[in-house]
Amino acid sequence: MALRFQPFSPLLNFRSTKRSRTVLARNEVSATSNGYPSSTLTSKQGKPEADIIVIGSGIGGLCCGGLLARYGQDVLVLESHDVAGGAAHSFDIKGYKFDSGPSLFSGFQSRGPQANPLAQVLDALGESIPCANYDSWMVYVPEGEFLSRIGPTEFFKDLEKYAGPDSAREWRKLLDAILPISAAAMALPPLSIRGDLGVISTAAARYAPSLLKTFAQMGPQGALGATKLLRPFSEIIDSLGIKEPFIRNWLDLLAFLLAGVKTNGILSAEMVYMFSEWYKPGCTLEYPLQGSGAIVDALVRGLQKFGGRISLKSHVENIVVENGRAAGVKLRGGQFVRAKKAVVSNASMWDTLSLLPPEVVPKSYRDNIKSTPQCESFMHLHLGFDAEGIPDDLGIHHIVVNDWDRGVDADQNVVLISVPSVLSPNLAPPGKHILHAYTPGTEPFEIWEGLDRRSNEYKNLKAERSEVLWRAVEKALGPGFNCEKCEVKLVGTPLTHKRFLRRNRGTYGPAILAGKGTFPGHSTPIPQLLCCGDSTFPGIGVPAVAASGAIVANSLVSVAEHSQLLDAVGI
């Protein structure tokens, strides 16, 4: 599992190390390739075509493309930028290798039916990711600051110090209620799901015995709780009588980091899955030793290992529709690349809509997309700095909450900080650290809309809105940190996301509340056009987008081929 981290571009305004932190230099830096070759657009027959074209190389698109290649399909992934990964790519500046997006992970080493969806895809592709394990992060909240450890008992110590007298009892009551139903939340392997009636064979029938056994072991009370998995998690909290403010605030924070909504908007299944990974004996978090870009590299290796192709700097201008069906794509420059079987878009629902000829899109479909609420955008800070004066026991992750009363979804209120070089020193030059701080999907796009990125108004707003990040960084790193000694200072805004990641309004994805809406499926009104990624089921977050890519890939092959893959990976 990975908590949601924003999409972010390496193409950021560079900040001079000789000036104050509020003065921005004007030059820009660009991403570097991760070392894998960009493939040709032409198939073995020498034509610009493929069986299936995937638009975008985010984790969802790469999981889809990799599995399709594993199935023996001729698949071509088209990426607009010069590096793969979308929101999860890495970039290098002055010897510092930064994560652009996700950096809090678990479940890479899991195997079997209940494994993390991304781990199942990697297993199917014969790839693995070396990781460092850890079990805690620093928390700075109005009540105080503490090192929060995952596991079934550690959090009780924090509750005793920072919450009310009934908090331990309420937390135990919560764990006792939801951990038993985690088996139901994880009962169907994500890799077994497909988007047609074949799911009856690959999922329902295949796992019926284990499902029945799971529900029998849960007993009547547990089975009753499992019926709430597709309802908002707040309903479970309320039904248990959880009233302690610190616990409810903490759960809101976890839910928001996971899915961009608080407990009244997140599916109980998502939270229960997270609890099963974080609050069971022996659990740990994992960080890839080569950074989050190692995930992208592994997926690209898997894609190419099975004959799949990825073409970088191949910007899709339009999805071409012929005789009512998606027939391929037109690239910038006018080249047409044919898709003999299907086109899969890993772009957001709004950006996919903009790729289609308006006349082929049903009004109801267009109106539904345009009316779907969006998560807000981000402010970001990437730093490369000297480790001198920084505590030796500095943790990798830090969460700063300024005011519980404003809500974790309020702008400028929560800041997340990652310093992965404390676990993986090779990500920075010797004796240095890298740092990534951001506001998690709470920065309103409206105050940035229409600004000229070269204007003083934009630069002044950028400096003003990034101050909350600097204050949080100073709190986390302590008095030994001096911003003037940073060798790399990069600040990103919602316009950065919009421009470089081609994200509509710089958003993270749909803000769909559990119980009030559902994430769309993967089909569209245009035959042979499917979608994967954070605009489709299961939703936002690395495990979810990996699952969405797998579902689309499975749906494009026969039930027999799908079943053979499940047999091959032992699930």
Side-chain angles (χ1 to χ4, degrees):
M1 173 175 291
L3 292 189
R4 69 186 203 106
F5 275 54
Q6 94 309 336
F8 195 49
S9 170
L11 301 177
L12 307 170
N13 289 330
F14 196 81
R15 296 171 56 108
S16 169
T17 59
K18 297 181 180 180
R19 305 167 111 180
S20 74
R21 74 188 192 193
T22 58
V23 180
L24 304 183
R26 297 182 60 184
N27 53 311
E28 292 187 329
V29 295
S30 62
T32 58
S33 171
N34 287 13
Y36 37 78
S38 180
S39 304
T40 176
L41 296 173
T42 57
S43 65
K44 293 180 180 179
Q45 289 72 36
K47 298 179 180 179
E49 64 181 14
D51 290 338
I52 298 155
I53 291 173
V54 178
I55 303 172
S57 66
I59 286 179
L62 289 176
C63 286
C64 180
L67 286 177
L68 285 168
R70 174 70 167 76
Y71 283 125
Q73 300 293 312
D74 177 22
V75 60
L76 172 62
V77 179
L78 298 174
E79 172 55 51
S80 180
H81 294 300
D82 61 357
V83 62
H89 69 263
S90 293
F91 60 98
D92 292 87
I93 299 174
K94 293 186 174 183
Y96 295 91
K97 187 174 183 179
F98 293 100
D99 292 335
S100 66
S103 58
L104 180 54
F105 301 99
S106 64
F108 280 127
Q109 312 306 321
S110 59
R111 292 293 182 268
Q114 296 185 346
N116 183 292
L118 179 56
Q120 290 187 347
V121 173
L122 290 169
D123 197 22
L125 298 178
E127 294 291 336
S128 61
I129 301 173
C131 293
N133 295 331
Y134 65 103
D135 66 356
S136 62
W137 65 87
M138 277 299 299
V139 179
Y140 308 83
V141 292
E143 292 87 347
E145 58 185 66
F146 57 93
L147 183 68
S148 178
R149 296 186 182 276
I150 64 173
T153 60
E154 295 295 334
F155 193 57
F156 285 103
K157 300 174 184 177
D158 303 325
L159 291 173
E160 291 174 2
K161 186 172 182 179
Y162 297 105
D166 288 335
S167 59
R169 179 186 61 80
E170 289 192 356
W171 187 254
R172 171 57 63 192
K173 187 176 183 181
L174 180 65
L175 292 181
D176 289 344
I178 65 177
L179 289 181
I181 64 175
S182 64
M186 306 166 71
L188 285 178
L191 205 60
S192 71
I193 308 299
R194 52 190 292 127
D196 57 23
L197 291 177
V199 73
I200 297 173
S201 174
T202 61
R206 186 182 183 96
Y207 300 101
S210 60
L211 282 169
L212 292 174
K213 182 179 179 180
T214 295
F215 279 99
Q217 291 173 340
M218 290 167 59
Q221 192 66 29
L224 179 63
T227 64
K228 300 178 181 179
L229 288 173
L230 298 182
R231 298 292 302 166
F233 188 63
S234 58
E235 293 184 6
I236 290 181
I237 299 173
D238 293 338
S239 69
L240 294 172
I242 306 298
K243 301 183 182 300
E244 168 56 47
F246 183 86
I247 291 180
R248 295 194 70 111
N249 286 331
W250 183 258
L251 294 173
D252 271 342
L253 177 63
L254 294 181
F256 192 75
L257 298 178
L258 184 61
V261 291
K262 296 191 289 189
T263 53
N264 63 350
I266 191 172
L267 283 176
S268 293
E270 291 186 72
M271 287 292 282
V272 169
Y273 188 93
M274 183 272 293
F275 266 79
S276 72
E277 286 200 335
W278 286 15
Y279 293 103
K280 64 184 178 184
C283 55
T284 62
L285 298 169
E286 299 161 325
Y287 181 78
L289 291 178
Q290 299 301 318
S292 65
I295 303 168
V296 176
D297 293 345
L299 290 171
V300 172
R301 285 196 306 270
L303 168 77
Q304 295 181 328
K305 177 194 306 180
F306 291 100
R309 294 175 283 149
I310 179 169
S311 181
L312 305 176
K313 295 186 283 189
S314 297
H315 177 70
V316 174
E317 289 279 10
N318 300 109
I319 297 171
V320 177
V321 179
E322 295 177 351
N323 300 319
R325 296 177 175 272
V329 300
K330 185 179 76 172
L331 303 182
R332 179 178 290 165
Q335 184 175 17
F336 172 66
V337 185
R338 181 168 296 280
K340 293 187 287 185
K341 294 183 179 180
V343 174
V344 178
S345 176
N346 186 211
S348 76
M349 61 169 67
W350 305 280
D351 296 296
T352 300
L353 183 65
S354 70
L355 296 176
L356 287 165
E359 65 273 13
V360 306
V361 182
K363 183 178 184 299
S364 59
Y365 185 71
R366 181 187 303 109
D367 291 346
N368 184 58
I369 289 176
K370 290 185 175 180
S371 64
T372 300
Q374 296 179 333
C375 293
E376 296 287 5
S377 194
F378 304 82
M379 288 298 301
H380 275 263
L381 185 63
H382 284 85
L383 302 177
F385 57 96
D386 199 301
E388 184 179 359
I390 305 301
D392 292 335
D393 60 350
L394 182 71
I396 179 175
H397 292 300
H398 306 256
I399 299 178
V400 179
V401 181
N402 294 312
D403 185 352
W404 287 126
D405 291 337
R406 291 191 63 215
V408 295
D409 53 351
D411 70 302
Q412 302 267 292
N413 192 30
V414 175
V415 175
L416 305 186
I417 300 169
S418 173
V419 193
S421 50
V422 303
L423 291 180
S424 190
N426 62 306
L427 297 176
K432 312 288 184 179
H433 276 312
I434 58 171
L435 180 146
H436 174 201
Y438 62 93
T439 53
T442 58
E443 181 67 10
F445 184 79
E446 289 75 14
I447 64 176
W448 299 89
E449 193 167 14
L451 291 181
D452 183 342
R453 296 176 69 252
R454 297 165 296 182
S455 68
N456 287 330
E457 181 183 5
Y458 174 78
K459 294 174 184 177
N460 291 336
L461 184 61
K462 189 175 183 178
E464 174 191 335
R465 300 294 290 184
S466 65
E467 275 300 308
V468 67
L469 301 176
W470 286 104
R471 291 196 299 270
V473 167
E474 290 166 350
K475 179 178 292 187
L477 298 186
F481 172 71
N482 184 345
C483 70
E484 299 300 328
K485 294 183 179 180
C486 291
E487 296 180 3
V488 178
K489 302 178 186 179
L490 305 172
V491 177
T493 73
L495 295 187
T496 312
H497 298 283
K498 181 177 184 291
R499 180 183 181 192
F500 292 117
L501 284 186
R502 310 189 190 286
R503 298 287 299 193
N504 183 271
R505 297 176 62 82
T507 184
Y508 186 66
I512 297 175
L513 301 181
K516 297 184 179 180
T518 58
F519 276 84
H522 307 92
S523 62
T524 72
I526 313 300
Q528 295 182 187
L529 174 63
L530 296 92
C531 296
C532 67
D534 58 28
S535 287
T536 64
F537 176 84
I540 291 175
V542 171
V545 298
S548 77
I551 292 170
V552 171
N554 297 336
S555 303
L556 287 169
V557 300
S558 70
V559 170
E561 291 173 295
H562 187 182
S563 297
Q564 288 171 5
L565 178 65
L566 296 176
D567 291 338
V569 296
I571 59 174

